[in-house]
Amino acid sequence: MKKENPVNHQRMRLQPDDGLGPTSDIGSRLRALYGAVQEEGVPDQLLDLLEKLDNAEQAQSKQTTSQGGE
Amino acid sequence: MATESTSFKREMLATLPSLRAFAVSLTGKHDKADDLVQDTVMKAWAKQSSFEMGTNIKAWLFTILRNEFYSQMRKRGREVQDSDGAFTERLSVHPSQYGLMDLEDFKKALSQLPDDQREAIILIGASGFSYEEAAEICDCAVGTMKSRVSRARARLQDMLKVHGESDYGPDAVSTQVTTNNHSF
């Protein structure tokens, strides 16, 4: 059997070797900072906003559908 | 029909944490980043008919956010970015695998990069975009994107070398700093 296929590893980032890969010092620090912000989650106000936008749209489309159906 | 907007919403939700991290890297401030993401969500929602489901919503949203950021900067002048950009504010979740000082140095180095280089290395190195996608987001040629990234990397390497190579290994200093427990 061949060794663990290194191509798969490469594929995960679809990048040429840019010095930012999994073993790179700078790359992993960048991802650590970025990841720390990501892990804070999404603030409620943003979730509320999306919810409102979605509800408004659904209400509107319901209205148009029922009008069209008359 | 409800379903289409709901799946648009779902895809948008999935992208928000990364979009927000990018916003923090641009504005340097969490509150400004959140305002920026909010403006982006409204813009994107208004433009959703121009988005084709199944195509790259992440790149699409990043493009809107970035355009919004620079157009606000132009309108309000540089004061929008009064901090140095990058992740200058204290993070509520500290990345566990690094020592505190280690990342502080790195943040400082990152904030000293020119804006175009910093955004390039973040899009490629942290957001996970390809050079082609990042070039599209920043409205520049792929070759330009590549050279920005490589200049950014070289400068970061230089700046970090000055701070000594002794703490090179990420695991050496780290674990004692993690005081926060978060859900995952």
Side-chain angles (χ1 to χ4, degrees):
Chain A
M1 281 244 121
K2 277 183 230 156
K3 279 208 312 196
E4 277 277 271
N5 188 354
V7 177
N8 281 341
H9 230 83
Q10 284 280 22
R11 282 270 162 76
M12 284 176 61
R13 292 188 67 246
L14 293 167
Q15 302 283 332
D17 182 17
D18 52 17
L20 298 172
T23 57
S24 125
D25 201 29
I26 287 178
S28 56
R29 278 172 171 78
L30 272 177
R31 285 185 290 278
L33 284 177
Y34 199 88
V37 180
Q38 289 194 95
E39 282 182 42
E40 290 171 358
V42 178
D44 287 343
Q45 57 183 52
L46 264 174
L47 299 177
D48 290 347
L49 172 68
L50 263 180
E51 201 61 40
K52 274 183 202 146
L53 289 168
D54 196 31
N55 288 341
E57 189 159 296
Q58 290 194 26
Q60 201 182 28
S61 76
K62 225 174 262 166
Q63 210 176 31
T64 8
T65 318
S66 64
Q67 276 169 0
E70 287 304 320
Chain B
M1 277 231 261
T3 43
E4 191 157 312
S5 97
T6 303
S7 78
F8 182 74
K9 184 182 103 182
R10 204 183 317 119
E11 293 209 34
M12 207 138 132
L13 269 175
T15 312
L16 283 183
S18 178
L19 190 68
R20 185 168 171 271
F22 181 55
V24 170
S25 81
L26 287 176
T27 63
K29 301 260 189 200
H30 277 58
D31 55 344
K32 284 183 180 165
D34 286 337
D35 290 347
L36 183 61
V37 173
Q38 191 160 327
D39 294 343
T40 303
V41 165
M42 309 238 266
K43 282 251 153 85
W45 198 275
K47 287 164 68 150
Q48 70 171 291
S49 59
S50 73
F51 175 73
E52 247 177 86
M53 268 308 175
T55 61
N56 192 340
I57 195 170
K58 190 175 168 190
W60 186 71
L61 289 170
F62 272 62
T63 308
I64 296 174
L65 182 125
R66 184 183 174 277
N67 288 343
E68 185 64 20
F69 173 68
Y70 284 110
S71 95
Q72 289 182 4
M73 281 242 287
R74 272 193 301 275
K75 266 182 227 151
R76 296 185 212 163
R78 293 286 301 189
E79 53 96 12
V80 178
Q81 195 181 15
D82 49 8
S83 81
D84 297 320
F87 305 91
T88 42
E89 227 169 51
R90 207 167 54 86
L91 297 164
S92 60
V93 180
H94 189 78
S96 55
Q97 70 271 47
Y98 291 98
L100 202 52
M101 286 323 292
D102 193 28
L103 273 187
E104 286 307 312
D105 283 346
F106 185 73
K107 283 201 263 183
K108 211 175 292 166
L110 201 57
S111 72
Q112 285 166 19
L113 292 178
D115 293 352
D116 59 348
Q117 291 180 24
R118 182 171 53 241
E119 97 188 336
I121 202 166
I122 287 169
L123 288 171
I124 298 292
S127 309
F129 287 110
S130 67
Y131 281 105
E132 287 73 17
E133 290 166 332
E136 208 155 299
I137 290 167
C138 298
D139 196 23
C140 69
V142 177
T144 309
M145 184 51 62
K146 286 184 178 164
S147 91
R148 284 177 188 168
V149 170
S150 90
R151 271 181 293 158
R153 197 189 56 236
R155 285 184 70 152
L156 286 175
Q157 252 151 8
D158 276 355
M159 285 189 269
L160 293 171
K161 237 175 245 162
V162 179
H163 285 86
E165 287 151 314
S166 57
D167 51 10
Y168 183 83
D171 294 319
V173 210
S174 55
T175 39
Q176 77 274 20
V177 220
T178 16
T179 47
N180 280 324
N181 278 325
H182 42 85
S183 42
F184 52 93

